[in-house]
């Protein structure tokens, strides 16, 4: 079965979410694979500008942009489970 959103075909679940919501999850959350510090800085800079634009459009009355800004902002505060699991080291917490 093929899935289309706004005339574009979505090949994966993440592509479907990006097309349906208009938000690139990896841009705001970060990719699952490692990135260099330069790549991270560029991604975070772009995400910050886009988030500022979404907030401004939301404040100007665009309700969808306002909701997108809330979603994108929440994504910036998350860490992908797989990346968190890779960087977790046993025996390094308070209880250790």
């Amino acid at each position: 079965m093929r899935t289309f959103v706004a005339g574009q075909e979505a090949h994966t679940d993440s592509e479907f979410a990006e097309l349906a919501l208009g938000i690139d999850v990896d841009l705001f959350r970060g990719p699952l694979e490692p990135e260099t510090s330069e790549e991270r800085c560029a991604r975070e800079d772009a995400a910050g500008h886009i988030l500022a634009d979404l907030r401004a459009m939301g404040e100007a009355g665009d309700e969808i942009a306002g909701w997108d800004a809330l979603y994108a902002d929440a994504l910036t505060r998350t860490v992908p489970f797989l990346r968190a699991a890779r960087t977790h080291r046993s025996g390094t917490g308070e209880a250790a």
Side-chain angles (χ1 to χ4, degrees):
M1 182 169 149
R2 298 168 78 183
T3 305
F4 289 87
V5 176
Q8 294 185 339
E9 185 175 4
H11 298 282
T12 65
D13 291 343
S14 61
E15 283 182 6
F16 178 79
E18 182 179 343
L19 289 171
L21 300 173
I23 298 289
D24 180 359
V25 173
D26 285 344
L27 177 66
F28 293 98
R29 177 202 60 202
L32 296 177
E33 63 275 347
E35 60 184 342
T36 66
S37 60
E38 292 86 14
E39 290 170 334
R40 186 181 66 252
C41 287
R43 177 184 55 76
E44 290 175 348
D45 186 49
H49 288 296
I50 293 168
L51 185 56
D53 289 345
L54 288 171
R55 286 181 178 147
M57 291 187 305
E59 291 171 2
D62 185 339
E63 186 176 351
I64 303 274
W67 284 108
D68 284 347
L70 291 173
Y71 178 58
D73 187 50
L75 286 171
T76 64
R77 292 164 175 50
T78 62
V79 176
F81 178 73
L82 295 174
R83 187 171 66 206
R86 270 198 313 267
T87 59
H88 176 70
R89 290 175 240 151
S90 63
T92 60
E94 278 186 36

